Amino acid sequence: IAEALGYEATKRRWLHRAALLHDIGKLAISNTILDKPAKLTDEEFAVIKTHPVHSQNIISGVAAFADMADIAGHHHERIDGKGYPHGLKGDEINFETRIVTTADVFDALTADRPYRKAMTPVEAFAIMDKDIGTAFDPTCIAALKSALRRAELAAAA
């Protein structure tokens, strides 16, 4: 996404590191919840919703990564303010976080999970497209689609 948006290599590497670290707070969540093959209870989902705070706290405590902490802490926020953990909306969510959020959700939808099989990219975009402008930044979705088209063309060549 960052490459499709024209980010320079140094910034892309930084953003890649932030993306790799954004869910580190899941280490504070029990595997019985993370790996549950059925629907989570309200209480279990409340526990899951704490992982961005844990991620932000862990990352902010490491000087080399501290400038990535907000991405980790805000990656489940939504443009319409209906995300978590802080209910941020609109410009309160920085653009790099919007990039990571888009990539994170696409990855989650297109990967096998304990409770469902991976979706195809077409199926994932059908879901994500419904939330453009409310959950996802339209520029980030367009950049992801563009990057995937380029990758498909390169693979076919």
Side-chain angles (χ1 to χ4, degrees):
I1 295 171
E3 184 175 2
L5 292 169
Y7 277 64
E8 64 174 39
T10 303
K11 187 69 171 191
R12 289 195 316 265
R13 276 191 305 277
W14 176 87
L15 194 53
H16 182 245
R17 288 182 186 119
L20 291 172
L21 293 170
H22 82 280
D23 268 343
I24 197 166
K26 284 187 176 179
L27 292 172
I29 309 298
S30 169
N31 282 348
T32 59
I33 295 174
L34 291 174
D35 298 333
K36 186 175 178 179
K39 182 174 172 46
L40 298 176
T41 66
D42 290 344
E43 294 80 18
E44 291 166 333
F45 189 58
V47 171
I48 287 282
K49 288 169 63 172
T50 66
H51 84 273
V53 173
H54 293 299
S55 292
Q56 189 169 18
N57 290 339
I58 292 166
I59 293 170
S60 67
V62 180
F65 302 128
D67 60 347
M68 303 170 187
D70 282 349
I71 290 174
H74 301 162
H75 74 277
H76 281 290
E77 301 292 351
R78 293 172 43 113
I79 294 169
D80 62 7
K82 294 180 180 177
Y84 63 88
H86 306 293
L88 302 178
K89 65 180 180 178
D91 291 338
E92 295 173 322
I93 307 164
N94 73 41
F95 195 73
E96 285 74 22
T97 300
R98 294 173 189 217
I99 291 171
V100 171
T101 297
T102 301
D104 184 43
V105 172
F106 184 78
D107 178 65
L109 293 173
T110 59
D112 284 332
R113 295 295 194 211
Y115 52 88
R116 66 155 174 79
K117 293 297 247 173
M119 295 180 191
T120 67
V122 170
E123 292 168 327
F125 281 125
I127 290 170
M128 294 176 77
D129 285 349
K130 292 176 187 171
D131 288 325
I132 291 175
T134 55
F136 306 109
D137 187 288
T139 302
C140 295
I141 295 286
L144 176 57
K145 288 179 179 180
S146 173
L148 290 174
R149 277 193 300 275
R150 278 198 310 262
E152 289 170 358
L153 291 173

